[in-house]
Amino acid sequence: MVQEEIAYQNKDITSKVLAECFKGKTFKVYGLDLPEIRRVLPTNLPTVKANELRLDNLFELADGTVAIVDYESEYILHNAECCLM
């Protein structure tokens, strides 16, 4: 029997699959006072060099704004604080 390795990006893959369940939810569980998620948007954003910048998740919120959510394997308070500004 051949053992398959777990993908290095396994947490990213899981978060993308689960993101579809976030429609109609909010980020209050994370302490963020944002409108509810209207829909999950594509995350393959082309750059000027024609490469792709991939985000973990991109959500359209009920008020028409977007929330870019990037998950980190290691929680560092500074990362969370700097991204909320």
Side-chain angles (χ1 to χ4, degrees):
M1 177 192 289
V2 177
Q3 278 189 329
E4 292 187 32
E5 292 188 25
I6 296 174
Y8 175 77
Q9 304 87 350
N10 65 70
K11 293 176 186 172
D12 287 339
I13 294 166
T14 303
S15 71
K16 286 182 182 296
V17 171
L18 292 176
E20 294 299 325
C21 300
F22 295 162
K23 183 178 177 182
K25 306 283 192 296
T26 69
F27 289 100
K28 288 186 194 237
V29 69
Y30 300 110
L32 301 174
D33 186 25
L34 296 171
E36 75 176 38
I37 297 168
R38 182 180 293 162
R39 63 186 172 130
V40 180
L41 302 172
T43 58
N44 54 334
L45 305 174
T47 62
V48 176
K49 293 181 182 179
N51 293 328
E52 290 186 10
L53 170 64
R54 299 239 180 217
L55 309 169
D56 285 343
N57 290 116
L58 183 62
F59 299 101
E60 179 183 0
L61 305 180
D63 67 352
T65 60
V66 295
I68 298 171
V69 178
D70 194 57
Y71 303 98
E72 297 297 330
S73 297
E74 181 180 342
Y75 179 78
I76 300 172
L77 184 58
H78 172 74
N79 289 348
E81 290 173 342
C82 73
C83 296
L84 296 175
M85 296 181 177

